[in-house]
Amino acid sequence: MGARLLYLLLLGLLYEQPRGDRSFTIDDDQNCFKKDGVCFHYISGSIHYFRIPAIYWKDRLMKMYMTGLNAIQIYVPWNFHEPEPGMFNFEGDGALEHFLDLANETGLLVIVRPGPYICSEWDMGGLPAWLLNKKDIVLRSSDPDYLSAVNSWLSVLLPRLRPRLYNNGGNIISVQVENEYGSYHACDYSYMRHLFHTFRLYLGDDVVLFTTDGNTDRELKCGSLQGMHATVDFGPADDAKKAFDLLRRYQPTGPLVNSEYYTGWLDYWGGNHSTASPQMVSHGLQTILEMGANVNMYMFEGGTNFGYWNGADYKEQYKPITTSYDYDAPLTEAGDPTEKLFALRSVISQFLPVPEGPMPPPTPKYDYGVVKLQKVGDITDFLDILCPGGPIVTRYPITFEDAKQYFGFMLYRTRVPWEIPDMTSLSDPFNGVRDRAYITIDGSFTGVLERDHVRMINVTGSAGDWLDILVENMGRINFGSFVNDLKVKCITH
Ligand SMILES: *[C@@H]1O[C@H](CO)[C@@H](O)[C@H](O)[C@H]1NC(C)=O
Ligand SMILES: *[C@@H]1O[C@H](CO)[C@@H](O)[C@H](O)[C@H]1NC(C)=O
Ligand SMILES: *[C@@H]1O[C@H](CO)[C@@H](O)[C@H](O)[C@H]1NC(C)=O
């Protein structure tokens, strides 16, 4: 009898925890996360592997670990991993699984935010520009063309994450679905439900899925969904209590989470570098931790928008993000610890044991001396090298997307149709220059047209002169209603 009871008890235990001692769950009675059955709080920092050369990943992770963080939070940029439909890249600076291994080795848990939309001040918020090959596609909605591309991407990405979930022996503790969906105009619940079911299908029923939104009613209403844990984001200047009180109306139980506690802010071309003081940021962190909440600091290291990957905002006008994504984060763009990092570390040490030992030093710098630039010619001298396939000949100008050249520059050229002896306007009445056009006539530079800023310049020319318009794509909009940011050129004169 005794033996039988023991057997039943054991069976009961096994049944409750089918995967041994590893579990990461939400406890709605104690209002906390539970790791291996014990209440657990995370103090996490955002780091974007795609903004840091892979050789530095380990160094940055080590510095985050030594600050006392127990987790990191990452986005996964779809457009970076699927540059052409059906062509996937998980190598080099896109070696997501290698990055996850390094984080695990370092002793850091991971919160993954696979989008498909990620904002992140990244070109088109992480959505591939090739989605715009269907001109009227409704992004971030139940549009069948959009969903079919999303399904195909998630069927590749999510199975790679599954074995790395905490419950399956890995270090991923939770997964975010979409990103601040409540601030998008569509407010399409079927879309969010579709994503929810797709994530469940590939990741299983026991992984913690969550959403993140700004702390307003409209955002939480459109962004949260039953079955997923709602979280908010806010910065040091916001009232943490007010933000969490609002969150409680949508997420009455479970742990409180600020998924993006802002350590600094992004920069725009032509603007000043954004900063936030170490005192203010560390004080705000203290307030959040004293409330027993979980927090992710956005960013902990910002890094760099290499190549043409930066995005843009649209607030009354087009505002492209700079190449630097330093963010005034606790680790600089170069990966060096700052006064802010040490201020945060001393706050963290009141709540968690901070690892013993020295902080790894700043990355060594090298003086390359003066770099002299020498002009070797004009762009038009190198057209057969830059465009070996020859020009695309069309009756009307086509978009970058139509030309399947999604980034960088495109040269539009035509002949001046008749004599223009007097100053005559070359204008862009539909504000179609996306985003900056350098104009030359017969090889001489004549001026610049710029989206939202310069809509008209005066030119002269002779019949038959080359009129060259070199258009620069300065980054696709990553936030708000205008994410269908076709790089159109439509100039008339
Ligand atoms: C994660 O790291 C631990 C040691 O810290 C190791 O035992 C485990 O095998 C690692 N897991 C993976 C998926 O690499
Ligand atoms: C940048 O900062 C300077 C000095 O504080 C100020 O005068 C200037 O207006 C700022 N520029 C912009 C674009 O905000
Ligand atoms: C272009 O020329 C017209 C008339 O010659 C003049 O009124 C106008 O100010 C000029 N515009 C620019 C942008 O130079």
Side-chain angles (χ1 to χ4, degrees), residues 422-425 454 456-459:
D422 302 321
M423 281 295 190
T424 303
S425 75
V454 185
M456 198 263 276
I457 58 168
N458 283 331
V459 299

Side-chain angles (χ1 to χ4, degrees), residues 270-273:
N272 290 321
H273 180 45

